[in-house]
Amino acid sequence: MASKLKIKLNRKSVRNQLLKSAEMMAICEEHAKDIQSRCGEGYETDTHVGKNRVNAMVYADTYKARLDNAKYNTLLKAVRSK
């Protein structure tokens, strides 16, 4: 009979070595830049390490981009179109 295998993750190591790593930051930044390129002019990205993991965001930086996003949901459509 096969024995049951139990795996217990070391959450602190996963958080620090994987979720907060430079490699994960590069992956998140790549996805954010891809979304930004689909949005057009006036949209910017920001990537930073938070409390538990890397965070990336795309936001409307100019007034024109904010109006565009409010009227056409540009950011939402750019995220969904992937």
Side-chain angles (χ1 to χ4, degrees), residues 7-51:
I7 298 174
K8 184 175 180 182
L9 288 177
N10 183 340
R11 291 176 186 256
K12 188 174 181 181
S13 292
V14 169
R15 185 181 319 119
N16 292 329
Q17 294 177 5
L18 179 67
L19 295 178
K20 290 184 173 183
S21 69
E23 293 86 1
M24 188 61 70
M25 182 175 270
I27 291 168
C28 289
E29 191 169 335
E30 180 183 329
H31 284 289
K33 292 283 184 186
D34 184 41
I35 292 167
Q36 177 194 15
S37 69
R38 283 186 256 138
C39 290
E41 281 188 39
Y43 292 88
E44 295 295 325
T45 63
D46 181 34
T47 309
H48 66 277
V49 178
K51 182 179 177 184

Side-chain angles (χ1 to χ4, degrees), residues 42-77:
Y43 292 88
E44 295 295 325
T45 63
D46 181 34
T47 309
H48 66 277
V49 178
K51 182 179 177 184
N52 296 318
R53 62 183 52 99
V54 172
N55 299 292
M57 68 176 178
V58 180
Y59 59 96
D61 192 41
T62 64
Y63 180 73
K64 185 178 177 183
R66 286 191 293 271
L67 286 176
D68 177 62
N69 187 51
K71 189 171 183 180
Y72 300 111
N73 273 332
T74 307
L75 286 170
L76 180 62
K77 290 176 183 177

